[in-house]
mmCIF file of all heavy atoms in Angstrom:
data_model
loop_
_atom_site.group_PDB
_atom_site.id
_atom_site.type_symbol
_atom_site.label_atom_id
_atom_site.label_comp_id
_atom_site.label_asym_id
_atom_site.label_seq_id
_atom_site.Cartn_x
_atom_site.Cartn_y
_atom_site.Cartn_z
ATOM 1 N N ALA A 1 61.154 -16.933 33.288
ATOM 2 C CA ALA A 1 60.489 -17.353 34.547
ATOM 3 C C ALA A 1 58.991 -17.142 34.459
ATOM 4 O O ALA A 1 58.224 -17.968 34.982
ATOM 5 C CB ALA A 1 61.068 -16.572 35.744
ATOM 6 N N ALA A 2 58.554 -16.042 33.866
ATOM 7 C CA ALA A 2 57.133 -15.722 33.829
ATOM 8 C C ALA A 2 56.466 -16.421 32.654
ATOM 9 O O ALA A 2 56.848 -16.221 31.512
ATOM 10 C CB ALA A 2 56.924 -14.200 33.717
ATOM 11 N N PRO A 3 55.480 -17.288 32.890
ATOM 12 C CA PRO A 3 54.796 -17.971 31.784
ATOM 13 C C PRO A 3 53.954 -16.990 31.015
ATOM 14 O O PRO A 3 53.564 -15.958 31.560
ATOM 15 C CB PRO A 3 53.908 -18.999 32.546
ATOM 16 C CG PRO A 3 53.681 -18.408 33.852
ATOM 17 C CD PRO A 3 54.934 -17.647 34.182
ATOM 18 N N PRO A 4 53.708 -17.262 29.731
ATOM 19 C CA PRO A 4 52.888 -16.423 28.953
ATOM 20 C C PRO A 4 51.496 -16.200 29.560
ATOM 21 O O PRO A 4 50.838 -17.176 29.937
ATOM 22 C CB PRO A 4 52.765 -17.097 27.582
ATOM 23 C CG PRO A 4 53.952 -18.048 27.565
ATOM 24 C CD PRO A 4 54.187 -18.415 28.995
ATOM 25 N N GLN A 5 51.064 -14.992 29.716
ATOM 26 C CA GLN A 5 49.787 -14.704 30.378
ATOM 27 C C GLN A 5 48.595 -14.993 29.492
ATOM 28 O O GLN A 5 47.490 -15.150 29.982
ATOM 29 C CB GLN A 5 49.761 -13.224 30.843
ATOM 30 C CG GLN A 5 50.848 -12.914 31.872
ATOM 31 C CD GLN A 5 50.700 -13.722 33.126
ATOM 32 O OE1 GLN A 5 49.615 -13.858 33.650
ATOM 33 N NE2 GLN A 5 51.777 -14.286 33.627
ATOM 34 N N THR A 6 48.846 -15.071 28.180
ATOM 35 C CA THR A 6 47.675 -15.275 27.295
ATOM 36 C C THR A 6 47.538 -16.728 26.811
ATOM 37 O O THR A 6 46.687 -17.030 26.031
ATOM 38 C CB THR A 6 47.855 -14.384 26.028
ATOM 39 O OG1 THR A 6 49.097 -14.753 25.363
ATOM 40 C CG2 THR A 6 47.941 -12.902 26.422
ATOM 41 N N ALA A 7 48.383 -17.640 27.382
ATOM 42 C CA ALA A 7 48.340 -19.029 26.889
ATOM 43 C C ALA A 7 47.032 -19.689 27.150
ATOM 44 O O ALA A 7 46.551 -20.465 26.374
ATOM 45 C CB ALA A 7 49.514 -19.811 27.533
ATOM 46 N N THR A 8 46.439 -19.417 28.327
ATOM 47 C CA THR A 8 45.167 -20.084 28.688
ATOM 48 C C THR A 8 43.941 -19.308 28.367
ATOM 49 O O THR A 8 42.854 -19.781 28.563
ATOM 50 C CB THR A 8 45.181 -20.428 30.193
ATOM 51 O OG1 THR A 8 45.344 -19.220 30.961
ATOM 52 C CG2 THR A 8 46.364 -21.371 30.538
ATOM 53 N N ARG A 9 44.126 -18.028 27.891
ATOM 54 C CA ARG A 9 42.934 -17.211 27.632
ATOM 55 C C ARG A 9 42.045 -17.718 26.528
ATOM 56 O O ARG A 9 40.823 -17.741 26.675
ATOM 57 C CB ARG A 9 43.386 -15.806 27.353
ATOM 58 C CG ARG A 9 43.917 -15.070 28.586
ATOM 59 C CD ARG A 9 44.362 -13.651 28.240
ATOM 60 N NE ARG A 9 44.917 -12.997 29.416
ATOM 61 C CZ ARG A 9 45.462 -11.779 29.407
ATOM 62 N NH1 ARG A 9 45.560 -11.116 28.272
ATOM 63 N NH2 ARG A 9 45.940 -11.238 30.514
ATOM 64 N N PRO A 10 42.620 -18.206 25.417
ATOM 65 C CA PRO A 10 41.740 -18.689 24.343
ATOM 66 C C PRO A 10 40.849 -19.865 24.796
ATOM 67 O O PRO A 10 39.660 -19.912 24.503
ATOM 68 C CB PRO A 10 42.699 -19.149 23.266
ATOM 69 C CG PRO A 10 43.915 -18.297 23.485
ATOM 70 C CD PRO A 10 44.015 -18.155 24.967
ATOM 71 N N ALA A 11 41.450 -20.820 25.577
ATOM 72 C CA ALA A 11 40.652 -21.931 26.079
ATOM 73 C C ALA A 11 39.555 -21.450 27.013
ATOM 74 O O ALA A 11 38.407 -21.923 26.967
ATOM 75 C CB ALA A 11 41.544 -22.927 26.762
ATOM 76 N N ALA A 12 39.925 -20.558 27.927
ATOM 77 C CA ALA A 12 38.908 -20.032 28.903
ATOM 78 C C ALA A 12 37.827 -19.262 28.166
ATOM 79 O O ALA A 12 36.623 -19.389 28.476
ATOM 80 C CB ALA A 12 39.593 -19.119 29.913
ATOM 81 N N ALA A 13 38.214 -18.489 27.162
ATOM 82 C CA ALA A 13 37.207 -17.710 26.400
ATOM 83 C C ALA A 13 36.317 -18.662 25.617
ATOM 84 O O ALA A 13 35.073 -18.436 25.486
ATOM 85 C CB ALA A 13 37.935 -16.758 25.434
ATOM 86 N N SER A 14 36.893 -19.764 25.087
ATOM 87 C CA SER A 14 36.076 -20.719 24.347
ATOM 88 C C SER A 14 35.061 -21.401 25.252
ATOM 89 O O SER A 14 33.936 -21.622 24.871
ATOM 90 C CB SER A 14 37.015 -21.772 23.743
ATOM 91 O OG SER A 14 36.246 -22.734 23.044
ATOM 92 N N ALA A 15 35.501 -21.740 26.476
ATOM 93 C CA ALA A 15 34.595 -22.374 27.433
ATOM 94 C C ALA A 15 33.468 -21.417 27.841
ATOM 95 O O ALA A 15 32.306 -21.843 27.938
ATOM 96 C CB ALA A 15 35.359 -22.838 28.696
ATOM 97 N N ASP A 16 33.793 -20.178 28.065
ATOM 98 C CA ASP A 16 32.779 -19.198 28.416
ATOM 99 C C ASP A 16 31.786 -19.004 27.279
ATOM 100 O O ASP A 16 30.574 -18.842 27.490
ATOM 101 C CB ASP A 16 33.436 -17.842 28.745
ATOM 102 C CG ASP A 16 34.220 -17.908 30.031
ATOM 103 O OD1 ASP A 16 34.011 -18.828 30.844
ATOM 104 O OD2 ASP A 16 35.080 -17.012 30.254
ATOM 105 N N GLN A 17 32.286 -18.979 26.052
ATOM 106 C CA GLN A 17 31.417 -18.801 24.870
ATOM 107 C C GLN A 17 30.487 -20.014 24.744
ATOM 108 O O GLN A 17 29.305 -19.847 24.463
ATOM 109 C CB GLN A 17 32.246 -18.663 23.602
ATOM 110 C CG GLN A 17 31.448 -18.469 22.358
ATOM 111 C CD GLN A 17 32.251 -18.244 21.119
ATOM 112 O OE1 GLN A 17 33.481 -18.361 21.188
ATOM 113 N NE2 GLN A 17 31.613 -18.021 19.989
ATOM 114 N N ALA A 18 31.012 -21.252 24.989
ATOM 115 C CA ALA A 18 30.191 -22.435 24.892
ATOM 116 C C ALA A 18 29.069 -22.398 25.949
ATOM 117 O O ALA A 18 27.915 -22.766 25.663
ATOM 118 C CB ALA A 18 31.061 -23.670 25.060
ATOM 119 N N SER A 19 29.422 -21.947 27.181
ATOM 120 C CA SER A 19 28.428 -21.864 28.232
ATOM 121 C C SER A 19 27.331 -20.828 27.916
ATOM 122 O O SER A 19 26.131 -21.095 28.101
ATOM 123 C CB SER A 19 29.097 -21.478 29.556
ATOM 124 O OG SER A 19 30.017 -22.482 29.982
ATOM 125 N N ALA A 20 27.716 -19.725 27.302
ATOM 126 C CA ALA A 20 26.775 -18.695 26.917
ATOM 127 C C ALA A 20 25.888 -19.187 25.817
ATOM 128 O O ALA A 20 24.679 -18.919 25.858
ATOM 129 C CB ALA A 20 27.533 -17.446 26.489
ATOM 130 N N GLU A 21 26.448 -19.945 24.863
ATOM 131 C CA GLU A 21 25.609 -20.466 23.768
ATOM 132 C C GLU A 21 24.640 -21.499 24.288
ATOM 133 O O GLU A 21 23.455 -21.483 23.854
ATOM 134 C CB GLU A 21 26.511 -21.110 22.720
ATOM 135 C CG GLU A 21 27.328 -20.089 21.892
ATOM 136 C CD GLU A 21 28.272 -20.769 20.899
ATOM 137 O OE1 GLU A 21 28.370 -21.982 20.921
ATOM 138 O OE2 GLU A 21 28.877 -20.018 20.093
ATOM 139 N N ARG A 22 25.078 -22.343 25.222
ATOM 140 C CA ARG A 22 24.170 -23.335 25.784
ATOM 141 C C ARG A 22 22.983 -22.662 26.515
ATOM 142 O O ARG A 22 21.847 -23.106 26.396
ATOM 143 C CB ARG A 22 24.909 -24.269 26.769
ATOM 144 C CG ARG A 22 25.874 -25.229 26.081
ATOM 145 C CD ARG A 22 26.569 -26.099 27.128
ATOM 146 N NE ARG A 22 27.464 -27.074 26.509
ATOM 147 C CZ ARG A 22 28.149 -27.968 27.166
ATOM 148 N NH1 ARG A 22 28.027 -28.015 28.527
ATOM 149 N NH2 ARG A 22 28.950 -28.798 26.547
ATOM 150 N N LEU A 23 23.338 -21.609 27.242
ATOM 151 C CA LEU A 23 22.283 -20.868 27.990
ATOM 152 C C LEU A 23 21.284 -20.266 27.048
ATOM 153 O O LEU A 23 20.045 -20.349 27.251
ATOM 154 C CB LEU A 23 22.956 -19.778 28.823
ATOM 155 C CG LEU A 23 21.998 -18.871 29.672
ATOM 156 C CD1 LEU A 23 21.150 -19.725 30.619
ATOM 157 C CD2 LEU A 23 22.747 -17.847 30.414
ATOM 158 N N GLN A 24 21.728 -19.667 25.951
ATOM 159 C CA GLN A 24 20.838 -19.066 24.983
ATOM 160 C C GLN A 24 19.957 -20.103 24.320
ATOM 161 O O GLN A 24 18.756 -19.928 24.137
ATOM 162 C CB GLN A 24 21.629 -18.307 23.912
ATOM 163 C CG GLN A 24 22.290 -17.032 24.460
ATOM 164 C CD GLN A 24 23.166 -16.365 23.417
ATOM 165 O OE1 GLN A 24 23.492 -16.963 22.354
ATOM 166 N NE2 GLN A 24 23.492 -15.138 23.657
ATOM 167 N N ILE A 25 20.515 -21.267 23.976
ATOM 168 C CA ILE A 25 19.758 -22.323 23.353
ATOM 169 C C ILE A 25 18.710 -22.888 24.290
ATOM 170 O O ILE A 25 17.560 -23.133 23.923
ATOM 171 C CB ILE A 25 20.688 -23.475 22.880
ATOM 172 C CG1 ILE A 25 21.600 -22.947 21.724
ATOM 173 C CG2 ILE A 25 19.892 -24.679 22.381
ATOM 174 C CD1 ILE A 25 22.668 -23.927 21.337
ATOM 175 N N ALA A 26 19.091 -23.063 25.546
ATOM 176 C CA ALA A 26 18.153 -23.587 26.543
ATOM 177 C C ALA A 26 17.007 -22.662 26.757
ATOM 178 O O ALA A 26 15.836 -23.099 26.846
ATOM 179 C CB ALA A 26 18.881 -23.809 27.890
ATOM 180 N N MET A 27 17.244 -21.364 26.812
ATOM 181 C CA MET A 27 16.161 -20.419 27.032
ATOM 182 C C MET A 27 15.225 -20.263 25.871
ATOM 183 O O MET A 27 14.056 -19.961 25.984
ATOM 184 C CB MET A 27 16.768 -19.015 27.383
ATOM 185 C CG MET A 27 17.413 -19.012 28.765
ATOM 186 S SD MET A 27 17.831 -17.322 29.310
ATOM 187 C CE MET A 27 19.012 -16.793 28.077
ATOM 188 N N SER A 28 15.747 -20.549 24.639
ATOM 189 C CA SER A 28 14.900 -20.419 23.457
ATOM 190 C C SER A 28 14.266 -21.737 23.030
ATOM 191 O O SER A 28 13.427 -21.773 22.108
ATOM 192 C CB SER A 28 15.737 -19.883 22.291
ATOM 193 O OG SER A 28 16.798 -20.807 21.975
ATOM 194 N N SER A 29 14.620 -22.814 23.689
ATOM 195 C CA SER A 29 14.088 -24.151 23.279
ATOM 196 C C SER A 29 12.884 -24.525 24.144
ATOM 197 O O SER A 29 12.919 -24.429 25.397
ATOM 198 C CB SER A 29 15.170 -25.229 23.446
ATOM 199 O OG SER A 29 14.668 -26.516 23.206
ATOM 200 N N ILE A 30 11.830 -25.053 23.521
ATOM 201 C CA ILE A 30 10.673 -25.492 24.285
ATOM 202 C C ILE A 30 10.832 -26.886 24.838
ATOM 203 O O ILE A 30 10.062 -27.375 25.636
ATOM 204 C CB ILE A 30 9.365 -25.441 23.402
ATOM 205 C CG1 ILE A 30 9.554 -26.376 22.196
ATOM 206 C CG2 ILE A 30 9.095 -24.055 22.973
ATOM 207 C CD1 ILE A 30 8.252 -26.548 21.373
ATOM 208 N N GLU A 31 11.897 -27.616 24.418
ATOM 209 C CA GLU A 31 12.133 -28.958 24.826
ATOM 210 C C GLU A 31 13.275 -29.101 25.854
ATOM 211 O O GLU A 31 13.610 -30.215 26.227
ATOM 212 C CB GLU A 31 12.417 -29.881 23.619
ATOM 213 C CG GLU A 31 13.697 -29.545 22.902
ATOM 214 C CD GLU A 31 14.003 -30.554 21.793
ATOM 215 O OE1 GLU A 31 13.265 -31.516 21.655
ATOM 216 O OE2 GLU A 31 14.994 -30.350 21.047
ATOM 217 N N TYR A 32 13.874 -27.979 26.263
ATOM 218 C CA TYR A 32 14.976 -28.117 27.210
ATOM 219 C C TYR A 32 14.452 -28.715 28.525
ATOM 220 O O TYR A 32 13.528 -28.212 29.168
ATOM 221 C CB TYR A 32 15.600 -26.739 27.519
ATOM 222 C CG TYR A 32 16.732 -26.881 28.545
ATOM 223 C CD1 TYR A 32 17.964 -27.443 28.192
ATOM 224 C CD2 TYR A 32 16.531 -26.520 29.893
ATOM 225 C CE1 TYR A 32 18.979 -27.555 29.133
ATOM 226 C CE2 TYR A 32 17.531 -26.674 30.814
ATOM 227 C CZ TYR A 32 18.755 -27.195 30.427
ATOM 228 O OH TYR A 32 19.783 -27.380 31.369
ATOM 229 N N PRO A 33 15.033 -29.894 28.893
ATOM 230 C CA PRO A 33 14.532 -30.570 30.124
ATOM 231 C C PRO A 33 15.165 -29.956 31.380
ATOM 232 O O PRO A 33 16.312 -29.534 31.380
ATOM 233 C CB PRO A 33 15.008 -31.995 29.909
ATOM 234 C CG PRO A 33 16.273 -31.849 29.108
ATOM 235 C CD PRO A 33 16.074 -30.643 28.246
ATOM 236 N N VAL A 34 14.393 -29.985 32.431
ATOM 237 C CA VAL A 34 14.963 -29.595 33.735
ATOM 238 C C VAL A 34 16.113 -30.599 34.039
ATOM 239 O O VAL A 34 15.905 -31.815 33.982
ATOM 240 C CB VAL A 34 13.889 -29.659 34.843
ATOM 241 C CG1 VAL A 34 14.511 -29.415 36.226
ATOM 242 C CG2 VAL A 34 12.784 -28.661 34.560
ATOM 243 N N THR A 35 17.269 -30.046 34.379
ATOM 244 C CA THR A 35 18.475 -30.876 34.515
ATOM 245 C C THR A 35 19.109 -30.629 35.863
ATOM 246 O O THR A 35 19.225 -29.451 36.284
ATOM 247 C CB THR A 35 19.476 -30.550 33.396
ATOM 248 O OG1 THR A 35 18.825 -30.721 32.119
ATOM 249 C CG2 THR A 35 20.678 -31.443 33.448
ATOM 250 N N PRO A 36 19.539 -31.644 36.591
ATOM 251 C CA PRO A 36 20.234 -31.441 37.828
ATOM 252 C C PRO A 36 21.435 -30.489 37.688
ATOM 253 O O PRO A 36 22.136 -30.556 36.683
ATOM 254 C CB PRO A 36 20.755 -32.864 38.235
ATOM 255 C CG PRO A 36 19.695 -33.743 37.611
ATOM 256 C CD PRO A 36 19.324 -33.092 36.322
ATOM 257 N N SER A 37 21.579 -29.609 38.675
ATOM 258 C CA SER A 37 22.567 -28.537 38.730
ATOM 259 C C SER A 37 22.209 -27.323 37.920
ATOM 260 O O SER A 37 22.974 -26.371 37.826
ATOM 261 C CB SER A 37 23.997 -29.041 38.393
ATOM 262 O OG SER A 37 24.176 -29.271 37.011
ATOM 263 N N ASP A 38 21.024 -27.358 37.262
ATOM 264 C CA ASP A 38 20.486 -26.107 36.681
ATOM 265 C C ASP A 38 20.334 -25.054 37.781
ATOM 266 O O ASP A 38 19.955 -25.409 38.900
ATOM 267 C CB ASP A 38 19.137 -26.307 36.049
ATOM 268 C CG ASP A 38 19.227 -26.919 34.635
ATOM 269 O OD1 ASP A 38 20.331 -27.045 34.100
ATOM 270 O OD2 ASP A 38 18.131 -27.211 34.038
ATOM 271 N N VAL A 39 20.577 -23.812 37.453
ATOM 272 C CA VAL A 39 20.339 -22.709 38.392
ATOM 273 C C VAL A 39 19.358 -21.757 37.753
ATOM 274 O O VAL A 39 19.582 -21.267 36.646
ATOM 275 C CB VAL A 39 21.642 -21.954 38.761
ATOM 276 C CG1 VAL A 39 21.376 -20.812 39.701
ATOM 277 C CG2 VAL A 39 22.648 -22.917 39.368
ATOM 278 N N TYR A 40 18.227 -21.481 38.444
ATOM 279 C CA TYR A 40 17.183 -20.570 37.971
ATOM 280 C C TYR A 40 17.111 -19.358 38.877
ATOM 281 O O TYR A 40 17.476 -19.396 40.051
ATOM 282 C CB TYR A 40 15.822 -21.279 37.926
ATOM 283 C CG TYR A 40 15.844 -22.593 37.142
ATOM 284 C CD1 TYR A 40 15.062 -23.663 37.616
ATOM 285 C CD2 TYR A 40 16.569 -22.733 36.003
ATOM 286 C CE1 TYR A 40 15.041 -24.870 36.934
ATOM 287 C CE2 TYR A 40 16.523 -23.921 35.293
ATOM 288 C CZ TYR A 40 15.797 -25.008 35.770
ATOM 289 O OH TYR A 40 15.779 -26.169 35.059
ATOM 290 N N ILE A 41 16.606 -18.276 38.308
ATOM 291 C CA ILE A 41 16.376 -17.037 39.060
ATOM 292 C C ILE A 41 14.886 -16.753 39.047
ATOM 293 O O ILE A 41 14.269 -16.654 38.029
ATOM 294 C CB ILE A 41 17.164 -15.838 38.495
ATOM 295 C CG1 ILE A 41 18.653 -16.081 38.573
ATOM 296 C CG2 ILE A 41 16.774 -14.551 39.227
ATOM 297 C CD1 ILE A 41 19.189 -16.204 39.982
ATOM 298 N N LEU A 42 14.298 -16.598 40.275
ATOM 299 C CA LEU A 42 12.879 -16.305 40.397
ATOM 300 C C LEU A 42 12.740 -14.883 40.943
ATOM 301 O O LEU A 42 13.222 -14.550 42.035
ATOM 302 C CB LEU A 42 12.228 -17.267 41.373
ATOM 303 C CG LEU A 42 10.759 -17.027 41.694
ATOM 304 C CD1 LEU A 42 9.869 -17.113 40.458
ATOM 305 C CD2 LEU A 42 10.272 -17.998 42.785
ATOM 306 N N ASN A 43 12.098 -14.025 40.147
ATOM 307 C CA ASN A 43 11.793 -12.649 40.550
ATOM 308 C C ASN A 43 10.275 -12.490 40.727
ATOM 309 O O ASN A 43 9.507 -13.000 39.915
ATOM 310 C CB ASN A 43 12.251 -11.663 39.483
ATOM 311 C CG ASN A 43 13.776 -11.618 39.358
ATOM 312 O OD1 ASN A 43 14.472 -11.260 40.317
ATOM 313 N ND2 ASN A 43 14.313 -11.986 38.196
ATOM 314 N N TYR A 44 9.875 -11.843 41.852
ATOM 315 C CA TYR A 44 8.467 -11.621 42.080
ATOM 316 C C TYR A 44 8.316 -10.408 43.054
ATOM 317 O O TYR A 44 9.295 -9.979 43.656
ATOM 318 C CB TYR A 44 7.772 -12.845 42.662
ATOM 319 C CG TYR A 44 8.265 -13.275 44.017
ATOM 320 C CD1 TYR A 44 7.613 -12.894 45.207
ATOM 321 C CD2 TYR A 44 9.409 -14.058 44.169
ATOM 322 C CE1 TYR A 44 8.068 -13.282 46.434
ATOM 323 C CE2 TYR A 44 9.881 -14.458 45.384
ATOM 324 C CZ TYR A 44 9.215 -14.040 46.544
ATOM 325 O OH TYR A 44 9.681 -14.422 47.766
ATOM 326 N N ARG A 45 7.101 -9.891 43.128
ATOM 327 C CA ARG A 45 6.853 -8.772 43.980
ATOM 328 C C ARG A 45 5.915 -9.197 45.102
ATOM 329 O O ARG A 45 4.924 -9.853 44.902
ATOM 330 C CB ARG A 45 6.160 -7.645 43.169
ATOM 331 C CG ARG A 45 5.846 -6.402 44.037
ATOM 332 C CD ARG A 45 5.148 -5.331 43.209
ATOM 333 N NE ARG A 45 6.056 -4.866 42.112
ATOM 334 C CZ ARG A 45 5.630 -4.007 41.189
ATOM 335 N NH1 ARG A 45 4.387 -3.523 41.212
ATOM 336 N NH2 ARG A 45 6.478 -3.592 40.269
ATOM 337 N N GLN A 46 6.319 -8.843 46.332
ATOM 338 C CA GLN A 46 5.557 -9.196 47.500
ATOM 339 C C GLN A 46 4.333 -8.237 47.630
ATOM 340 O O GLN A 46 4.252 -7.215 46.911
ATOM 341 C CB GLN A 46 6.425 -9.138 48.735
ATOM 342 C CG GLN A 46 7.434 -10.243 48.865
ATOM 343 C CD GLN A 46 8.149 -10.226 50.179
ATOM 344 O OE1 GLN A 46 8.442 -9.147 50.732
ATOM 345 N NE2 GLN A 46 8.484 -11.379 50.714
#
C-alpha cells in the first residue's frame, strides 16, 4: 500500500542541483541578462 518514499527523491534532488548550478553560473557571468521572473535581494542601510 505504501509507495516507495525514495522514488521521487533523485529527480527532486537533480532539479534542485540544476537550479543551484544555474544560480551560480548567473552570478558569475557578466553576460547574464535580466530575465522575467528573476528574483533579486537588495540589502542596504538606512
Side-chain angles (χ1 to χ4, degrees):
Q5 296 300 314
T6 59
T8 59
R9 287 180 183 175
S14 178
D16 291 342
Q17 182 179 3
S19 298
E21 289 178 353
R22 289 181 179 183
L23 178 59
Q24 291 176 343
I25 294 172
M27 290 191 297
S28 63
S29 174
I30 61 173
E31 64 176 355
Y32 179 74
V34 175
T35 304
S37 74
D38 277 355
V39 178
Y40 306 142
I41 297 296
L42 175 63
N43 292 298
Y44 64 97
R45 181 181 297 176
Q46 289 185 325

